[in-house]
Amino acid sequence: MIFAVTNAKGGIGKTTVAVNIAAGFADKGRPTLLIDLDPQGHASRCFVDGELERDVSDLIMDKPSLASKSVIPTEYPSLHIVPATIELTETAELLSSRIRREERLLRALDPLREPYKNIIIDCPPSLGILTYNAIHAADLLIIPIQPGMGAVMGIAALLEAAQELRDETLVPYRILINMFDIRTSRTNAIIDELIEDYRQKVFRTIISKSEALNQANIAGEPVWKSMRNSKSAEEFDALCEEILKLRLR
Ligand SMILES: Nc1ncnc2c1ncn2[C@@H]1O[C@H](COP(=O)(O)OP(=O)(O)OP(=O)(O)O)[C@@H](O)[C@H]1O
Ligand SMILES: [Mg+2]
C-alpha cells in the first residue's frame, strides 16, 4: 500500500505523522519505504546525516538506473528511505514541462510495491506538481489537521484536485486529528465541524499534542527511539494498527 501524507497547509504535522507511521510499521517488522517529497528534507534529516549525492529526483526523473541507488537503509532494519534535498525544487520546475508529469512517481514506485509492504510519502506544504505526483501514486491519502479555526480549510480543494487528477469519483482518504489538546475548548467545536462534513473519514485514533513528541521531532527521532513507553508512541502504534485494518472503498 502507498500512503501519501498531505495537506497544503504548513506546519500541521505531516512530517511528524509520516516519520512516525513509517517507523511504526518498520517496528512491526514490515518492510517499509519512506519517501521524502519535500525539498525542505525534514523527514530525511530524521534518518540520514550529511551531504546526499542522490535524492528522490532520481526516482521521478528519467534515470531508472539510478533509481534503486536513491533508496538508503536507516538504522531500523525494516525501514528504507528515499531522501529529499533542495535539488528537488529544481526537479519540480523541470517536471512542469514534461508529458504525463503527474504520473512519474507512480511509475517509479511500481517495482517497489512488491519489496515494500508499506510506502509512505511525506508531501510538501503546497498543492503543486510534487503533491500531485504523490496523490497520483497513493492508495490512501492521510490528511493531518490541527484542531482550531480553519482546520478543514483546504481539504475540499485537495480532494477536488485528487479527484480530477485520478479521474475517480471516490479517492480514498482519511483525516487525522493531530496536536489534539484536551484543555482547549475550541478543539471540540472543530471536531464537530469535521464530523459534520467528513463523518466517516476521520481516523478513530487521535494524536495528542505532546511536548515530548515535539522534542523528539527537534532531535530528528521517531518516538520509538527514546520514548517507546510514551503516550505518543502508544497513539502512533494504535494509528498504525488502524491503518493496517482499513478496508478501503
Ligand atoms: N502532536 C504534536 N505535538 C506537539 N508538537 C507537534 C505535534 N505534531 C507536530 N508537532 C510540531 O509541530 C511542528 C510542525 O510539525 P511538522 O514538521 O511535522 O509539520 P509539517 O506539516 O510537516 O510542516 P511543513 O508544512 O513545513 O512540512 C514541529 O515543530 C513539530 O515538532
Ligand atoms: Mg513537513
Side-chain angles (χ1 to χ4, degrees), residues 60-79:
I60 51 185
M61 297 310 278
D62 295 316
K63 299 178 199 161
S65 59
L66 292 181
S68 61
K69 292 190 188 134
S70 57
V71 177
I72 298 176
T74 71
E75 65 184 283
Y76 303 85
S78 301
L79 178 64

Side-chain angles (χ1 to χ4, degrees), residues 11 13-16 36 38 40 42-43 122-125:
K14 293 179 290 296
T15 303
T16 303
D36 191 351
D38 184 350
Q40 299 179 99
H42 290 161
D122 183 27
C123 292

Side-chain angles (χ1 to χ4, degrees), residues 17-56:
V17 170
V19 161
N20 283 291
I21 60 176
F25 285 141
D27 197 62
K28 294 176 187 300
R30 300 176 67 87
T32 301
L33 181 64
L34 174 62
I35 303 210
D36 191 351
L37 208 58
D38 184 350
Q40 299 179 99
H42 290 161
S44 307
R45 243 173 275 152
C46 291
F47 300 105
V48 285
D49 301 319
E51 286 284 301
L52 290 163
E53 261 177 57
R54 303 212 154 79
D55 82 346
V56 65

Side-chain angles (χ1 to χ4, degrees), residues 77-163:
S78 301
L79 178 64
H80 292 172
I81 179 167
V82 179
T85 66
I86 196 68
E87 196 204 319
L88 186 54
T89 309
E90 206 174 303
T91 303
E93 279 167 26
L94 289 172
L95 263 186
S96 304
S97 60
R98 298 292 178 96
I99 292 167
R100 300 174 82 176
R101 52 190 168 268
E102 293 93 3
E103 296 171 22
R104 299 247 154 197
L105 187 62
L106 173 73
R107 278 186 280 155
L109 290 184
D110 202 43
L112 299 174
R113 269 180 182 272
E114 189 47 42
Y116 297 101
K117 293 282 170 265
N118 298 107
I119 299 179
I120 292 108
I121 308 169
D122 183 27
C123 292
S126 59
L127 204 51
I129 188 66
L130 294 171
T131 297
Y132 290 162
N133 266 271
I135 290 173
H136 219 291
D139 299 308
L140 177 75
L141 306 180
I142 296 176
I143 308 172
I145 60 156
Q146 183 180 355
M149 287 302 282
V152 293
M153 234 168 69
I155 294 184
L158 173 67
L159 294 174
E160 214 169 282
Q163 207 151 307

